[in-house]
C-alpha cells in the first residue's frame, strides 16, 4: 500500500509488517522500504535527537527522540489520516509544538502540543474565519520565547494567534501565502512566501512585499549561519528556480524551476543543497534528484547515489551531526545520507551549469518530434546516433530556456542515442523511437 508492505504465511489469518521492526515504547525502526509521499523534515533546534517527519495520508506525523533511530506515530488525540505539512518548535527545549495538517484542499487544522508532541489539541475549523473551499494548512510558526504568539497558513491565508491558538485572526488578508521562515537572532522578524513574492514583517502584524522578490515563491530558508541571507524557491513558477536575498538585493542562483526545497549547511554557509520534484502524473518528469554546491551556488553536482526515487519534496541538514542529510521523496519514503565534512573548491574558468538536468521526451503537440530541454543557457552541440554508431541527426543550437524540437519521424523504429555537449560537459540519452 502507500505506506508499508504486509506479508501473510497462513493464507491471510494473520499479517506482519515486513518494512518495520517494532521497538520499545510503541516505536518502529525502518527496514529500507516506505511508500510514503513526504512533505517535511524538521529538527527540533533546542533538543538534540528530536526530529519530525511529515507526509500525506496517515504518514502525517512521525517523530524520533533518539536521533533518527526509531519513530513513533502521532500522539494522544492526533486524528488519523489527512496528511501533515509543517511543524515548528518553541518554548523551553522546544516542547511546545504547532503542526499543520490537511491535503488536497481538505481541512486538517493546526495542532498544538505543550509536552513535546505526546498529546495534541487540534483547532476546529471554526477557529479560522473566512476560509474558502481550499482549507489545507501549510506553514506554521511560533515565537520561541513566547509560544502563545503563533502564525499559521490555512487555506492559503495567513492567520495570527495571540493566545496560544485558542483563537485566530487573519494577519495578511487577500494574499495567497504558503510558508514562513524566521530569523534566528531576531525571531519576531520573519518572511512569508506568496504568489506575489516574499513578504517581511518585524512584528507579525505589518507586512511589506519585498521589491524584486520572485512571484510564486514557495519554500523559504534563512541561512542558519547568517540572518542576513535568505534563500527562496519558486517551484514550477514562470520565473522560478532558486533565489537569494542578501543586502536588500535579489539574485537568481538557479533557473531550474523544479527546485522544491533548499537548505544551508549550519557549519558552512558556502554549502547549499537543493531538492527537485515533479508530479508523478506528468508525461515527462523534470525532477533530477539532489544537487549540492560547495561555493554558494556558483556550481552544482548531483548527489543521487542510493536514492530509489528522484522526485524529492523536502530536504534538511541535521544540525546536530555534521554532513548528515535527511530527505523525503514523493512516494518512496525518507532517506538519510552522509556527506563529507570537508568542502570542495572549483577552479573552472567558465560558469558551471545551474542545478538541473537535460530532459529528452516526445513532443506531445506533434507526432514524430523529439523535444530537448536544457538546464542552462549556452551553445549546445547534438548528435543522434543509431545503434551502429551512425549519426542520423547533427547540429547545434543556443539554449535559452526554450526547448529544441528534433524531427525524428523519418527515422526507423528502434533505439538511438542522443549525445549533447554543453560547456564542455557531455551527456548521452537513450531514445526509443516507435511506430
Amino acid at each position: 500500500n502507500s505506506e508499508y508492505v504486509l506479508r501473510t504465511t497462513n493464507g491471510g489469518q494473520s499479517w506482519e509488517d515486513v518494512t518495520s521492526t517494532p521497538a520499545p515504547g510503541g516505536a518502529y525502526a525502518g527496514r529500507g522500504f516506505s511508500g510514503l509521499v513526504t512533505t517535511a523534515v524538521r529538527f527540533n533546534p533546542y533538543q538534540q535527537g528530536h526530529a519530525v517527519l511529515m507526509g500525506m495520508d496517515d504518514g502525517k506525523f512521525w517523530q524520533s527522540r533518539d536521533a533518527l533511530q526509531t519513530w513513533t506515530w502521532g500522539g494522544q488525540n492526533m486524528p488519523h489520516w489527512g496528511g501533515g505539512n509543517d511543524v515548528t518548535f518553541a518554548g523551553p527545549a522546544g516542547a511546545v509544538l504547532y503542526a499543520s495538517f490537511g491535503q488536497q484542499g481538505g481541512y486538517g487544522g493546526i495542532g498544538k502540543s505543550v509536552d513535546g508532541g505526546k498529546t495534541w489539541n487540534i483547532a476546529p475549523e471554526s477557529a479560522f474565519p473566512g476560509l474558502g473551499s481550499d482549507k489545507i494548512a501549510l506553514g506554521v510558526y511560533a515565537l520561541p520565547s513566547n509560544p502563545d504568539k503563533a502564525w499559521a497558513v490555512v487555506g492559503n491565508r495567513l492567520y495570527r494567534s495571540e493566545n496560544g491558538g485558542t483563537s485566530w485572526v487573519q494577519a495578511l488578508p487577500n494574499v495567497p501565502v504558503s510558508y514562513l521562515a524566521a530569523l534566528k537572532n531576531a525571531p519576531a522578524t520573519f518572511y512569508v512566501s506568496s504568489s506575489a513574492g516574499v513578504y517581511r514583517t518585524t512584528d507579525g502584524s505589518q507586512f511589506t512585499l519585498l521589491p524584486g522578490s520572485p512571484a510564486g515563491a514557495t519554500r523559504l530558508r534563512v541561512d542558519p549561519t547568517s540572518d542576513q541571507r535568505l534563500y527562496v524557491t519558486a517551484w514550477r513558477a514562470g520565473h522560478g528556480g532558486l533565489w537569494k536575498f542578501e543586502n536588500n538585493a535579489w539574485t537568481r542562483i538557479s533557473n531550474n524551476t523544479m527546485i522544491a526545497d533548499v537548505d544551508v549547511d549550519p557549519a558552512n554557509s558556502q554549502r547549499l543543497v537543493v531538492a527537485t520534484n515533479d508530479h508523478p502524473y506528468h508525461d515527462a518528469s523534470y525532477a533530477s534528484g539532489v544537487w549540492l554546491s560547495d561555493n554558494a551556488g556558483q556550481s552544482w553536482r548531483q548527489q543521487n547515489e542510493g536514492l530509489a526515487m528522484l522526485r524529492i519534496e523536502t530536504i534538511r541538514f541535521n544540525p546536530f551531526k555534521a554532513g548528515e542529510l535527511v530527505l523525503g521523496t514523493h512516494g518512496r519514503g525518507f532517506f538519510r545520507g552522509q556527506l563529507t565534512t570537508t568542502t570542495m573548491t572549483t577552479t573552472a574558468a567558465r560558469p558551471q551549469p545551474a542545478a538541473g538536468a537535460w530532459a529528452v521526451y516526445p513532443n506531445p503537440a506533434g507526432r514524430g518530434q523529439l523535444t530537448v530541454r536544457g538546464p542552462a543557457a549556452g551553445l549546445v552541440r547534438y548528435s543522434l546516433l543509431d545503434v551502429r554508431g551512425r549519426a542520423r541527426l547533427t547540429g547545434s543550437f543556443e539554449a535559452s530556456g526554450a526547448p529544441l524540437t528534433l524531427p525524428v519521424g523519418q527515422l526507423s523504429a528502434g533505439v538511438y542515442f542522443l549525445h549533447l555537449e554543453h560547456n564542455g560537459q557531455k551527456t548521452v540519452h537513450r531514445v526509443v523511437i516507435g511506430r
Side-chain angles (χ1 to χ4, degrees):
N1 58 37
S2 65
E3 297 179 10
Y4 45 79
V5 176
L6 299 178
R7 176 177 63 191
T8 179
T9 57
N10 54 16
Q13 297 181 45
S14 62
W15 295 83
E16 61 175 328
D17 178 358
V18 296
T19 54
S20 302
T21 300
Y28 294 88
R31 294 172 60 182
F33 174 86
S34 169
L36 285 176
V37 178
T38 71
T39 54
V41 174
R42 298 291 183 263
F43 291 90
N44 184 344
Y46 314 109
Q47 186 177 138
Q48 185 171 350
H50 188 200
V52 171
L53 305 178
M54 306 188 81
M56 294 181 66
D57 302 317
D58 211 25
K60 59 192 298 181
F61 194 92
W62 285 91
Q63 58 183 326
S64 174
R65 303 181 188 278
D66 56 6
L68 315 183
Q69 299 305 306
T70 63
W71 301 86
T72 57
W73 183 91
Q76 187 176 347
N77 302 326
M78 172 84 69
H80 282 278
W81 307 104
N85 300 297
D86 199 11
V87 63
T88 189
F89 306 87
V96 178
L97 281 68
Y98 288 85
S100 61
F101 303 109
Q103 67 186 54
Q104 297 176 334
Y107 181 79
I110 299 296
K112 181 185 179 183
S113 172
V114 296
D115 56 6
K118 297 177 182 178
T119 59
W120 290 86
N121 178 61
I122 311 296
E125 184 176 334
S126 59
F128 301 95
L131 285 179
S133 57
D134 187 347
K135 302 174 183 179
I136 185 176
L138 295 176
V140 62
Y141 172 64
L143 283 182
S145 60
N146 185 3
D148 281 349
K149 291 189 175 182
W151 294 261
V153 176
V154 185
N156 295 126
R157 292 171 170 83
L158 181 64
Y159 290 85
R160 180 182 73 249
S161 176
E162 301 282 347
N163 53 15
T166 301
S167 61
W168 299 81
V169 297
Q170 289 196 31
L172 187 57
N174 304 319
V175 178
V177 296
S178 49
Y179 287 95
L180 304 88
L183 303 190
K184 180 180 179 180
N185 298 308
T189 297
F190 60 89
Y191 300 93
V192 183
S193 60
S194 79
S195 59
V198 178
Y199 285 82
R200 179 170 58 189
T201 180
T202 58
D203 59 8
S205 298
Q206 302 296 319
F207 295 83
T208 302
L209 180 63
L210 297 177
S213 57
T218 45
R219 300 294 179 98
L220 307 154
R221 185 61 169 157
V222 175
D223 188 335
T225 70
S226 172
D227 280 350
Q228 306 305 311
R229 193 176 301 114
L230 170 72
Y231 292 94
V232 178
T233 68
W235 184 63
R236 294 183 57 109
H239 202 53
L242 178 64
W243 292 77
K244 179 176 70 174
F245 182 63
E246 188 174 19
N247 298 323
N248 291 319
W250 289 93
T251 304
R252 194 185 189 193
I253 297 177
S254 172
N255 62 1
N256 181 1
T257 60
M258 294 297 106
I259 294 177
D261 202 5
V262 58
D263 200 14
V264 184
D265 190 336
N268 178 8
S269 63
Q270 293 292 300
R271 173 173 273 184
L272 309 179
V273 64
V274 296
T276 60
N277 193 23
D278 202 351
H279 288 305
Y281 50 79
H282 289 160
D283 290 339
S285 173
Y286 290 100
S288 54
V290 176
W291 292 81
L292 181 73
S293 174
D294 284 317
N295 50 22
Q298 296 180 49
S299 62
W300 301 84
R301 64 185 189 276
Q302 282 181 302
Q303 297 287 292
N304 292 336
E305 184 177 351
L307 287 179
M309 178 180 287
L310 300 186
R311 297 194 306 270
I312 314 297
E313 175 72 22
T314 179
I315 192 166
R316 279 292 183 271
F317 280 99
N318 184 345
F320 300 106
K321 185 175 180 181
E324 183 173 72
L325 279 167
V326 177
L327 61 81
T329 67
H330 203 66
R332 191 57 173 78
F334 294 89
F335 286 76
R336 178 172 59 179
Q338 180 68 46
L339 302 174
T340 61
T341 56
T342 58
T343 61
M344 289 182 59
T345 58
T346 176
T347 57
R350 53 189 168 189
Q352 298 299 302
W358 290 99
V360 179
Y361 55 94
N363 185 352
R367 291 178 58 86
Q369 295 179 344
L370 189 68
T371 298
V372 181
R373 186 186 294 271
L379 182 66
V380 180
R381 293 183 174 86
Y382 65 87
S383 297
L384 184 66
L385 311 181
D386 61 21
V387 292
R388 298 178 62 182
R390 297 175 299 184
R392 308 306 300 269
L393 291 174
T394 60
S396 63
F397 69 100
E398 189 70 26
S400 58
L404 167 72
T405 300
L406 298 177
V408 296
Q410 78 280 10
L411 299 178
S412 301
V415 176
Y416 294 80
F417 298 92
L418 179 64
H419 292 246
L420 300 173
E421 181 177 352
H422 174 254
N423 278 351
Q425 296 188 350
K426 298 180 181 180
T427 59
V428 179
H429 303 262
R430 183 174 181 267
V431 178
V432 178
I433 297 177
R435 287 292 179 265

